[in-house]
Amino acid sequence: MSIEQYEVVVVGAGPSGLSAGIFVARQRAKCMLISKDLGGQLNLIPKLENYPGTIMSSGPLLAKTLENQYLTFGGEMTFDTVEKVEEVEGSTDLKVKTTRSEFITKALVLAPGKVPNNLGVENEVQYQNKGVHYCTKCDAPFYQGRTTATVGVGGYLLESGILLSRMASKVYLIYRGGQLGGDKDMIESLKRKNNVELVPNSSVSLVKGANSLQQIQIKDNSGVEKTIDVDGLFIEMGSKINLDFVKQLIKINTKGEIEVTEGGKTTHPAIFASGDATNIPYKQIVAACGDGAAAGLSAFNYIEKLKGKPGIRSDWKKTIGDTVYHY
């Protein structure tokens, strides 16, 4: 069985991977995008307010729009799981092994994103986007003047509490230990806020409501339970990035993120990366899209240079007659 060959393979169909694919496919390079699903964390965003130029949209709608753009430019896509990336002996090519297939590629763009850690309570999934959220900075603005709770660890929890305190009328800050951990100034700031109630030595044991979240049940370390009425629960337990399939080929930092430099370059000449799985400072959709576009163009320039061509400086095009000019 012959293995399908591509110029660029993109791993991940979140905003960053789809953007990378668009900018590769638009150059008429043969591109395959591999992902377990469409959208990644975009599927956790029922209302999308802060993506420039987009009003009254949602994460899934943006994902579908980006997918359509990518396919319009001739890109190919398969829903599968990447299990291993290996160097092809005696070649600069890479072999991408998935659950169902194998691909050979000249360049690889990694945009696997990250997956938020669940709280692990019964019915949690039922209330996702219906009062239960995993990104405070994304969804706190929807809770202006409402009652909220946040549960989590370390700096994630502190940042969540600070953001919610600026918008919600009430914030319950729930944590397992007796003391908050993290930045001392942030802790003192939270303690001074009249609308924040600290709930130490406790965990969330149940979430419930009709069509959306209405109550959470809290259990303290002695086993005593109480029920609190809330409009929203923010879970900030950190997140995980799966890079086991490629970790032997690239540099990964202590946070488990891919180390990238300008243009999404990694420590491997044929591998580029973008989005939440990298060390970019702002984990926002617009940043992921921008970095995805840059990584895609870097991958395209890499394969052009393998052919002895100069590559492109940007992605602005003008066609005059039969000639395409890049600016």
Side-chain angles (χ1 to χ4, degrees):
M1 184 183 72
S2 61
I3 300 176
E4 193 78 20
Q5 299 200 16
Y6 288 86
E7 290 183 282
V8 179
V9 165
V10 179
V11 178
S16 200
L18 289 165
S19 296
I22 287 169
F23 278 78
V24 171
R26 190 169 182 268
Q27 301 301 328
R28 298 183 181 175
K30 190 176 182 184
C31 183
M32 170 60 77
L33 195 153
I34 306 168
S35 183
K36 289 185 289 187
D37 64 3
L38 176 66
Q41 286 199 87
L42 285 178
N43 294 307
L44 298 176
I45 305 172
K47 295 179 184 177
L48 184 58
E49 285 190 332
N50 62 351
Y51 189 76
T54 300
I55 299 172
M56 297 299 290
S57 185
S58 70
L61 180 58
L62 178 61
K64 195 66 184 173
T65 303
L66 292 171
E67 179 197 26
N68 288 338
Q69 281 182 283
Y70 170 66
L71 296 174
T72 297
F73 290 128
E76 298 177 45
M77 192 168 180
T78 184
F79 291 104
D80 204 345
T81 300
V82 177
E83 296 184 338
K84 193 74 173 176
V85 176
E86 298 174 335
E87 295 176 324
V88 177
E89 192 173 345
S91 167
T92 57
D93 292 349
L94 298 169
K95 181 186 286 187
V96 180
K97 295 182 178 182
T98 69
T99 303
R100 299 194 302 269
S101 192
E102 291 185 358
F103 305 92
I104 296 292
T105 185
K106 297 290 183 187
L108 179 69
V109 177
L110 300 171
K114 63 179 182 179
V115 180
N117 292 319
N118 287 348
L119 196 56
V121 301
E122 188 181 354
N123 294 340
E124 181 178 345
V125 174
Q126 179 183 334
Y127 294 101
Q128 284 180 3
N129 301 326
K130 297 177 181 178
V132 172
H133 304 276
Y134 300 87
C135 179
T136 306
K137 57 179 172 279
C138 304
D139 297 321
F142 300 119
Y143 289 85
Q144 299 274 356
R146 302 172 76 185
T147 301
T148 63
T150 181
V151 59
V153 293
Y156 298 111
L157 179 63
L158 298 182
E159 185 177 331
S160 177
I162 293 285
L163 288 171
L164 287 170
S165 72
R166 296 170 183 163
M167 301 175 193
S169 60
K170 177 75 174 183
V171 183
Y172 294 97
L173 198 81
I174 305 161
Y175 49 102
R176 287 184 180 274
Q179 299 292 328
L180 285 166
D183 184 86
K184 292 181 180 179
D185 290 338
M186 290 180 72
I187 293 171
E188 289 306 312
S189 175
L190 279 167
K191 289 180 176 179
R192 288 193 299 267
K193 291 183 180 291
N194 294 327
N195 64 337
V196 175
E197 181 176 329
L198 302 183
V199 188
N201 301 309
S202 301
S203 59
V204 176
S205 57
L206 187 67
V207 294
K208 53 187 177 179
N211 294 324
S212 60
L213 180 70
Q214 293 173 307
Q215 294 180 324
I216 59 172
Q217 193 168 284
I218 298 173
K219 180 188 288 187
D220 68 20
N221 289 351
S222 63
V224 176
E225 293 185 326
K226 64 178 178 179
T227 299
I228 297 175
D229 293 337
V230 297
D231 299 303
L233 172 65
F234 290 81
I235 298 168
E236 292 288 356
M237 305 294 292
S239 56
K240 51 185 176 286
I241 303 170
N242 175 28
L243 296 172
D244 289 345
F245 64 93
V246 74
K247 65 183 180 182
Q248 80 280 8
L249 297 178
I250 54 173
K251 183 179 179 182
I252 297 171
N253 66 19
T254 55
K255 295 179 181 178
E257 302 166 330
I258 305 167
E259 287 280 354
V260 293
T261 56
E262 187 179 17
K265 296 181 179 70
T266 72
T267 49
H268 192 290
I271 300 178
F272 306 85
S274 59
D276 285 358
T278 72
N279 59 331
I280 64 166
Y282 303 112
K283 311 297 187 183
Q284 295 286 341
I285 299 169
V286 65
C289 287
D291 286 344
L297 290 172
S298 292
F300 176 74
N301 278 343
Y302 170 77
I303 62 173
E304 287 291 280
K305 287 172 184 175
L306 289 179
K307 301 173 188 175
K309 296 181 179 180
I312 59 172
R313 292 189 299 275
S314 68
D315 189 41
W316 301 345
K317 287 183 174 182
K318 185 174 181 64
T319 303
I320 301 176
D322 296 330
T323 305
V324 179
Y325 295 91
H326 297 281
Y327 295 89

